[in-house]
Amino acid sequence: MEKLKQINRKCKRFSARLKTSKGVLCVEKPTTNIVLCNVGQATGFLKEDANNLQQELPTVNILKYIAEKGESHSFLVFTDVKSSQLFYEAHNGKAKAMNGTLIYMNYVEEVPSDEILCTADPPKGLQIIPNFITIEEEIAFITLFDWMDESNLKNRQVKHYGYEFRYGSNDVDLNTPLDEKIPSQCDILWERLRAQGIAINVPDQLTVNKYLPGQGIPSHVDRHSPFGDTILSLSLGSDVVMDWKHHSNKYVPIAVPARSMLVMQEEARYDWQHAIQPRTWDPIVQTRKHERVITGDTRPRDTRISLTFRKTREGPCECSYNILCDRFKNDGEIDNVLASHLEELHVHQVYEQIAGHFSTTRHKRWPRVDEFLQSVPSGAVLLDLGAGNGKNILNRNDILQIAGERSAGLLLECSAHTRAISGSDCVRLDLLHSPLRDACADVIICIAVIHHFCSEARRKQSILTIARLLRPGGVALITVWAKDQTKSNYLDTNKENRDTDLVTTIGGVNLPIHENRTQFQHSDLLVPWKLRQIRDKKLTNTSDTFLRYYHVFEDGELDDLCKPELEIQNSFYEEGNWCVVCKKL
């Protein structure tokens, strides 16, 4: 009896939390819908986990499992109320997720749609030609190109013909051709393309990628200058969904069937990035009235081999698509327009997409941040610039606290966190263009924000904003990610420190893609954010990978950035971050 009361108390607390923070309304009367209050995509709970629980109850039928991206709760839809009741009574507060967490449940009247409508048109110049080869020809190509590199089973396996495609710079060295040329068996492909009215120059470079289920490739565009205006990709062995993203924030998922030929020209070739998510399944994408719909249904992936054909060229690119083009060399400081665009792509858009999951990973204040905040005097005005989910807002009613956050998604999380704290409020705020009046704050904290600005000029501008908002005598705590991680817990001692072999090129800037939990090799880079799950005591990727821009700071760099507008009171290193306490004179 006491155990049942404990479960009921837990469920009521989850019910209140879901109503306040997510707008999910739980009910006591059994319905055909159940919310799993504390497991979802953000915690690594999958459709297969729900099915495993169902298998223990042969008479129970689950229609749908709905898990919204980045959320730590999910929903089950049953065929009838009897099924939902049996499931609830058997598993509420008793069943465990793969990581050992007890699962708590409530009934709900409504569940969110498990379909995502994509209204953007596919990239201009992108063609998918289904059944471009026969099943017999597919088998012959797989036999020709299949191989197994026993020394490299972790990452996708790659083989080159004609020239080696260098993933570090997304180009080839025309002075070092390979002995192995593109096999003559591929000649039938050029003939068929021409027969369909697609004019191409015969490729002289081939990259063969072998993707096992769970493997993918980050968002990228093939570098402009080294290759011609057409890139071809033949898919063998398995269907896959390829994500296409435009720098204007358009997103289009494209189903690429096995045996199809993908043709990239025009915008698809030069102005869109494409990626394959590292997962063992893909959503089923349907076309309805010229709109693409990502359904809640999935299909498993099999081993896929892709043949990517390119025609090499010399000289600078002559395309009319400037944003992703490499002909604009940026050997020095990134200009303001490009920096703003990089931040939109690889900071602002990313945080909007990961806000829910990001918030679930941020709970406690860092020790030195907490120590600094405890010294805030009664009656002070405290600004938290780049507040995230509001975890640093104090539960005090004797000071005025304003949490400023640019991300709309994180601002919702922050609002839910601070709603019950008297004297606190949340505002949407861009650190470079703050609408707050001068000298309005006694204390400012800016935690893990400035490293997201893409140029030194913009990082300096953020410091000037902090100095402008502080009253004379006011103090600020500023922290940034350090390039040196040798004294932190960030590094995984089992991972080898090596330079990355993947880059993304935007506006002539090559940004390396960092391998998580390894020492930083570059000052400006993209750091992956992955949704993860725990299975068999191992962390594995479950869904999308997003790339966040970081400028990681050298020793003394933050101090120099703050001078002369702010006087350094204390400068220190804490858990992989450079931190300064500074004062406005």
Side-chain angles (χ1 to χ4, degrees):
M1 183 62 71
E2 183 58 35
K3 179 67 174 177
L4 182 60
K5 289 181 179 179
Q6 183 182 8
I7 292 173
N8 288 335
R9 286 195 297 269
K10 283 269 191 181
C11 290
K12 286 182 179 179
R13 282 199 292 268
F14 277 120
S15 174
R17 188 181 304 172
L18 287 169
K19 180 181 178 181
T20 301
S21 63
K22 302 298 179 182
V24 176
L25 185 61
C26 301
V27 297
E28 293 186 7
K29 183 180 177 181
T31 69
T32 56
N33 308 316
I34 285 177
V35 58
L36 307 180
C37 301
N38 59 328
V39 291
Q41 191 185 47
T43 68
F45 193 82
L46 302 177
K47 183 178 181 179
E48 291 85 347
D49 299 319
N51 290 339
N52 289 338
L53 295 177
Q54 177 193 8
Q55 288 174 6
E56 300 176 20
L57 306 167
T59 61
V60 169
N61 296 307
I62 298 177
L63 278 179
K64 291 182 179 180
Y65 169 68
I66 302 173
E68 296 176 289
K69 184 181 293 185
E71 298 291 357
S72 55
H73 63 276
S74 53
F75 300 87
L76 294 175
V77 179
F78 296 83
T79 54
D80 51 66
V81 173
K82 184 178 179 180
S83 287
S84 67
Q85 282 183 291
L86 287 172
F87 190 92
Y88 183 94
E89 292 166 1
H91 295 310
N92 184 30
K94 305 167 189 173
K96 293 183 178 181
M98 293 296 292
N99 61 2
T101 300
L102 283 171
I103 302 172
Y104 293 95
M105 309 173 191
N106 278 300
Y107 293 107
V108 290
E109 290 283 1
E110 298 179 351
V111 298
S113 172
D114 61 343
E115 297 185 340
I116 301 174
L117 182 64
C118 301
T119 57
D121 293 327
K124 184 180 178 182
L126 177 66
Q127 295 185 63
I128 306 288
I129 308 173
N131 297 313
F132 190 76
I133 59 175
T134 66
I135 294 176
E136 292 74 21
E137 288 169 334
E138 179 186 38
I139 293 171
F141 274 120
I142 290 175
T143 301
L144 177 64
F145 289 110
D146 196 10
W147 80 100
M148 179 62 71
D149 180 1
E150 296 291 344
S151 65
N152 180 28
L153 296 178
K154 176 184 174 183
N155 302 311
R156 73 183 192 283
Q157 299 185 42
V158 183
K159 198 170 183 179
H160 307 279
Y161 297 83
Y163 298 91
E164 180 179 354
F165 184 83
R166 301 184 296 191
Y167 282 97
S169 53
N170 279 350
D171 62 6
V172 296
D173 184 355
L174 294 177
N175 295 317
T176 57
L178 300 175
D179 292 335
E180 276 193 285
K181 307 304 179 186
I182 297 177
S184 59
Q185 290 92 327
C186 296
D187 291 346
I188 61 170
L189 304 177
W190 331 137
E191 298 168 7
R192 287 183 191 172
L193 286 166
R194 290 179 183 133
Q196 297 201 28
I198 300 174
I200 64 162
N201 293 315
V202 175
D204 58 1
Q205 194 278 329
L206 165 62
T207 299
V208 182
N209 279 280
K210 183 177 182 180
Y211 298 90
L212 300 179
Q215 295 177 336
I217 189 168
S219 188
H220 69 284
V221 63
D222 286 67
R223 196 170 175 185
H224 290 196
S225 294
F227 307 109
D229 60 4
T230 301
I231 292 179
L232 308 168
S233 181
L234 182 68
S235 290
L236 309 173
S238 179
D239 299 350
V240 75
V241 171
M242 184 176 288
D243 291 338
W244 289 79
K245 297 178 182 179
H246 192 257
H247 45 79
S248 64
N249 206 24
K250 295 176 184 176
Y251 164 68
V252 182
I254 302 288
V256 181
R259 300 187 300 281
S260 68
M261 176 65 81
L262 182 148
V263 183
M264 282 185 269
Q265 296 176 323
E266 301 176 64
E267 289 183 5
R269 162 70 179 96
Y270 294 115
D271 209 34
W272 287 66
Q273 294 181 311
H274 55 280
I276 295 173
Q277 299 296 341
R279 56 195 177 201
T280 59
W281 52 272
D282 276 311
I284 294 176
V285 180
Q286 297 178 348
T287 301
R288 303 175 189 166
K289 296 182 180 179
H290 309 294
E291 292 179 331
R292 277 176 170 74
V293 177
I294 304 175
T295 70
D297 297 320
T298 62
R299 63 162 57 97
R301 283 185 189 169
D302 204 342
T303 298
R304 174 176 174 267
I305 295 176
S306 72
L307 312 182
T308 302
F309 299 95
R310 306 173 180 92
K311 175 63 177 176
T312 60
R313 63 182 298 279
E314 295 185 82
C317 178
E318 299 175 353
C319 77
S320 59
Y321 304 97
N322 295 342
I323 295 298
L324 303 180
C325 190
D326 63 323
R327 72 176 178 274
F328 303 103
K329 297 294 183 182
N330 280 282
D331 298 325
E333 178 71 1
I334 300 174
D335 66 43
N336 195 58
V337 173
L338 179 57
S340 176
H341 183 69
L342 277 169
E343 290 161 18
E344 179 61 29
L345 280 177
H346 289 292
V347 182
H348 305 318
Q349 290 183 18
V350 171
Y351 276 106
E352 294 298 3
Q353 295 179 86
I354 70 172
H357 179 209
F358 181 83
S359 181
T360 65
T361 66
R362 300 299 190 269
H363 302 292
K364 297 177 63 177
R365 286 188 287 272
W366 298 345
R368 296 294 286 270
V369 173
D370 193 53
E371 178 184 323
F372 176 82
L373 290 174
Q374 295 307 322
S375 66
V376 175
S378 180
V381 175
L382 167 66
L383 298 185
D384 185 354
L385 301 178
N389 66 354
K391 71 171 185 177
N392 292 319
I393 296 298
L394 300 169
N395 190 16
R396 290 176 56 177
N397 59 11
D398 63 331
I399 59 176
L400 177 63
Q401 302 178 86
I402 299 175
E405 174 55 51
R406 191 189 189 283
S407 163
L410 285 174
L411 196 63
L412 287 174
E413 300 286 342
C414 185
S415 178
H417 175 75
T418 60
R419 187 173 292 131
I421 301 176
S422 177
S424 69
D425 203 353
C426 303
V427 296
R428 194 169 189 196
L429 179 147
D430 186 326
L431 185 53
L432 299 187
H433 307 284
S434 169
L436 301 178
R437 64 178 175 83
D438 295 356
C440 64
D442 300 293
V443 181
I444 290 177
I445 58 173
C446 185
I447 309 301
V449 175
I450 293 176
H451 50 220
H452 285 311
F453 290 112
C454 294
S455 70
E456 184 176 359
R458 292 169 73 81
R459 293 189 285 274
K460 182 64 177 180
Q461 187 180 344
S462 69
I463 296 294
L464 293 175
T465 298
I466 292 171
R468 178 178 68 79
L469 297 178
L470 274 175
R471 292 170 181 161
V475 293
L477 171 62
I478 305 169
T479 76
V480 294
W481 214 355
K483 186 175 183 181
D484 179 13
Q485 292 293 315
T486 56
K487 301 174 185 177
S488 77
N489 292 324
Y490 174 73
L491 300 181
D492 184 343
T493 56
N494 296 318
K495 283 192 173 183
E496 178 185 356
N497 284 325
R498 58 182 177 82
D499 204 357
T500 182
D501 62 350
L502 289 173
V503 300
T504 286
T505 302
I506 298 179
V509 177
N510 289 332
L511 290 174
I513 298 174
H514 176 64
E515 183 175 355
N516 280 326
R517 302 294 176 183
T518 65
Q519 177 60 45
F520 294 118
Q521 304 295 322
H522 305 270
S523 295
D524 297 277
L525 69 169
L526 300 174
V527 178
W529 176 275
K530 301 178 181 179
L531 299 176
R532 304 172 79 85
Q533 66 172 342
I534 300 176
R535 287 188 176 279
D536 299 326
K537 299 182 180 180
K538 294 181 180 179
L539 287 172
T540 57
N541 299 329
T542 62
S543 191
D544 299 345
T545 298
F546 301 96
L547 300 175
R548 294 180 295 166
Y549 170 87
Y550 280 88
H551 171 81
V552 286
F553 279 63
E554 302 279 3
D555 185 5
E557 186 179 352
L558 179 58
D559 301 50
D560 293 341
L561 195 67
C562 291
K563 300 172 184 175
E565 289 76 20
L566 298 169
E567 180 183 78
I568 306 299
Q569 303 283 297
N570 188 16
S571 178
F572 55 95
Y573 179 96
E574 183 185 33
E575 246 333 294
N577 296 275
W578 292 115
C579 314
V580 297
V581 176
C582 45
K583 181 178 181 179
K584 182 177 179 180
L585 298 177

